[in-house]
Amino acid sequence: GYPKPIITWKKAIGASPGEYKDFLYEPNVVQYPNGTIHFKKITKESQGHFLCEAKNEIGSGVSKVIFLKVNVAAHFAMKNKQIFIARGKQVHIQCNVQGDTPIDLKWRIQNSQQHLDESIDASAKVNIYGPPFIREMPKITGVSGKDLVIKCPVAGYPIDKIHWERDGQTLPINRRQRAYANGTLIIEQLQRLEDAGTYTCMAQSREKQTARRNVEIQVLVPPKIMPIQAMTNMLREGMRAAISCQILEGDLPVSFRWERNGKPVIGTGNEVIRRLDEYSASLVVEHISSEHSGNYSCIASNVAGTEKFTVPLTVNVPPKWVIEPKDSAAQFIGKRLVHDASPELLYWFSEQTLQPGPTVSLKCVATGNPPPQFQWTLDGFPIPDSSRFLVGQYVTIHDDVISHVNISNVKDEDGGEYSCTAQNSIGK
């Protein structure tokens, strides 16, 4: 409208639409000149029914009612607590969670390899008065080269100390092992030969009562692919290409698959995938052509992980005419037959309307031989000599010439008619 209206927002009093009052802008709420309100940090208190009113000297208008609903993620009122109880008594554990329903709750007893996610988990440690007891631990599996964290599931209270042993030696026995007083054992950069085996957790009370429990640690080894030689400047069109992929280590079974330029190779047409043995596979391409050039990847996987090795393959192809030349005024440049031609504009910018402040880029694309040079003008005069104006050009792989003008921090005086002219020795 005209005169330009003043826009105000109103929020309903209470949970239902009815009576409204002017919306009191909080520090984290901003209203833009066009009337948009932006909540930088939204809370449950932001929820409600809103409407906006536009008013000038001629009259006023009111929008439809808008309901803003704010969903609150589930979160715990208390994250961690401890409970002390005598053996044989009943224990009550309360999970106090807040947030919008429905909320899915799950309970579990933490085992030797489970760890709390502080963002979604809350825990209660139940301390049962009595001698120490260690729950049975299933076989623990780790991956070679990765870190392994084990927690000793000790019950009983009070516990004086917890420690880990292996082959009668108290851990740690090397720099990759860290043992903590709460029964946590960390082994960094697992190694099968050194770390696989039987470990013992021992807990002791103040009265010197003890409990022991063994756990077996198994270390799995992911595939390791032997480096594959790059196949560049080796192959001519019509030859046979064979890429072999072999693993140096890794637990069986191992599966192999192939990709070219990130897309699966399924072994159809003149591409054949062969499984040589348990440890190797090959990709054979019969009668290769330029279409088979690209980056080939062998991907080996087992239960412990996946490894990928990529090699480039290029196919040398002799030159051939795409269009048979006819008599004409032309010249050879390198191995390419090129005709002299005046520039031809392939792309040019269109009219733009901007607010002061942002950066704008204008672009022209032209082709011609010799490659054209560009000249830019503003309202018929050369582009201003200013650090805010950056003019540049480059040649694409298709021999098109792209010229651009980048204007930073656009100002009112930058407006006008911009022109680009492409010119070479033949014309413009």
Side-chain angles (χ1 to χ4, degrees):
Y2 184 84
K4 185 177 181 179
I6 297 175
I7 298 175
T8 57
W9 282 87
K10 297 179 181 293
K11 185 178 182 181
I13 301 174
S16 302
E19 187 179 353
Y20 288 83
K21 66 176 182 179
D22 288 346
F23 179 54
L24 299 178
Y25 291 95
E26 305 166 7
N28 60 347
V29 180
V30 177
Q31 178 172 330
Y32 296 119
N34 65 356
T36 301
I37 55 174
H38 176 207
F39 292 82
K40 294 182 179 179
K41 182 180 179 182
I42 201 159
T43 64
K44 191 67 176 179
E45 288 70 30
S46 306
Q47 180 170 299
H49 294 83
F50 292 80
L51 56 80
C52 67
E53 181 182 36
K55 183 183 295 185
N56 63 11
E57 299 172 3
I58 308 303
S60 63
V62 179
S63 72
K64 294 181 179 180
V65 175
I66 302 168
F67 178 61
L68 174 63
K69 179 174 176 57
V70 179
N71 292 320
V72 178
H75 60 281
F76 293 97
M78 181 180 293
K79 297 289 289 185
N80 303 294
K81 61 181 179 180
Q82 291 201 53
I83 298 173
F84 298 87
I85 192 169
R87 179 181 299 214
K89 297 293 185 179
Q90 188 179 46
V91 63
H92 176 73
I93 307 173
Q94 183 178 4
C95 184
N96 189 357
V97 63
Q98 299 174 352
D100 288 331
T101 56
I103 296 175
D104 183 25
L105 291 176
K106 295 180 180 179
W107 290 85
R108 70 171 185 262
I109 298 178
Q110 188 176 4
N111 64 31
S112 55
Q113 279 191 291
Q114 286 180 332
H115 309 287
L116 290 177
D117 183 342
E118 295 295 338
S119 64
I120 59 173
D121 286 343
S123 67
K125 180 174 175 56
V126 179
N127 298 289
I128 302 174
Y129 289 100
F133 174 79
I134 302 175
R135 292 192 299 274
E136 186 175 352
M137 292 176 279
K139 180 185 291 187
I140 294 175
T141 300
V143 176
S144 177
K146 304 291 185 181
D147 295 349
L148 180 66
V149 180
I150 313 169
K151 294 201 71 174
C152 186
V154 177
Y157 186 83
I159 300 298
D160 186 42
K161 63 180 180 179
I162 306 172
H163 72 266
W164 285 90
E165 297 178 355
R166 187 183 180 196
D167 298 331
Q169 291 183 288
T170 300
L171 305 184
I173 57 175
N174 59 49
R175 293 183 178 181
R176 293 185 298 107
Q177 297 174 346
R178 297 203 304 271
Y180 296 91
N182 66 353
T184 300
L185 173 65
I186 298 177
I187 306 176
E188 299 176 342
Q189 297 291 307
L190 275 176
Q191 300 174 18
R192 170 177 281 177
L193 294 180
E194 293 189 18
D195 300 322
T198 302
Y199 290 72
T200 303
C201 176
M202 192 191 81
Q204 179 177 295
S205 68
R206 294 174 184 174
E207 291 76 25
K208 306 303 180 184
Q209 297 169 303
T210 62
R212 304 171 65 88
R213 183 75 71 175
N214 293 339
V215 63
E216 190 75 18
I217 294 180
Q218 179 183 18
V219 180
L220 301 178
V221 180
K224 177 68 175 178
I225 298 177
M226 178 187 294
I228 306 172
Q229 181 182 0
M231 305 187 71
T232 55
N233 297 322
M234 297 171 53
L235 303 168
R236 297 191 308 275
E237 191 173 40
M239 295 178 69
R240 177 189 299 111
I243 308 174
S244 295
C245 183
Q246 179 178 346
I247 62 167
L248 297 172
E249 63 178 4
D251 292 324
L252 298 177
V254 176
S255 64
F256 292 89
R257 57 188 178 91
W258 295 86
E259 290 181 353
R260 179 174 62 240
N261 297 330
K263 296 182 179 180
V265 176
I266 58 177
T268 58
N270 57 350
E271 297 172 338
V272 179
I273 298 175
R274 293 174 180 165
R275 184 65 184 259
L276 303 179
D277 53 37
E278 292 179 307
Y279 309 97
S280 59
S282 69
L283 172 64
V284 178
V285 184
E286 300 281 355
H287 308 294
I288 59 173
S289 65
S290 58
E291 296 178 354
H292 295 108
S293 296
N295 292 315
Y296 285 78
S297 300
C298 172
I299 303 169
S301 304
N302 67 4
V303 68
T306 298
E307 176 159 281
K308 180 177 183 178
F309 197 97
T310 301
V311 292
L313 183 148
T314 59
V315 180
N316 297 327
V317 181
K320 58 184 176 181
W321 292 112
V322 177
I323 300 176
E324 189 71 24
K326 299 180 181 179
D327 291 340
S328 175
Q331 59 177 322
F332 277 98
I333 298 180
K335 294 184 178 181
R336 187 165 53 89
L337 185 64
V338 180
H339 296 262
D340 290 341
S342 60
E344 176 188 357
L345 282 176
L346 305 177
Y347 170 87
W348 55 91
F349 52 90
S350 57
E351 181 177 334
Q352 300 186 45
T353 303
L354 302 170
Q355 295 288 338
T359 297
V360 64
S361 180
L362 307 177
K363 181 174 71 173
C364 277
V365 182
T367 186
N369 185 57
Q373 296 294 319
F374 283 84
Q375 181 180 9
W376 288 84
T377 60
L378 171 57
D379 292 332
F381 294 94
I383 291 291
D385 185 11
S386 168
S387 60
R388 294 190 301 106
F389 287 76
L390 178 62
V391 182
Q393 75 176 47
Y394 58 92
V395 181
T396 71
I397 61 174
H398 303 295
D399 293 330
D400 299 331
V401 182
I402 298 178
S403 179
H404 60 83
V405 175
N406 293 334
I407 310 170
S408 59
N409 191 21
V410 172
K411 299 182 178 180
D412 292 337
E413 58 264 29
D414 299 333
E417 183 175 297
Y418 288 78
S419 299
C420 69
T421 304
Q423 183 174 358
N424 63 9
S425 58
I426 307 301
K428 66 179 180 179

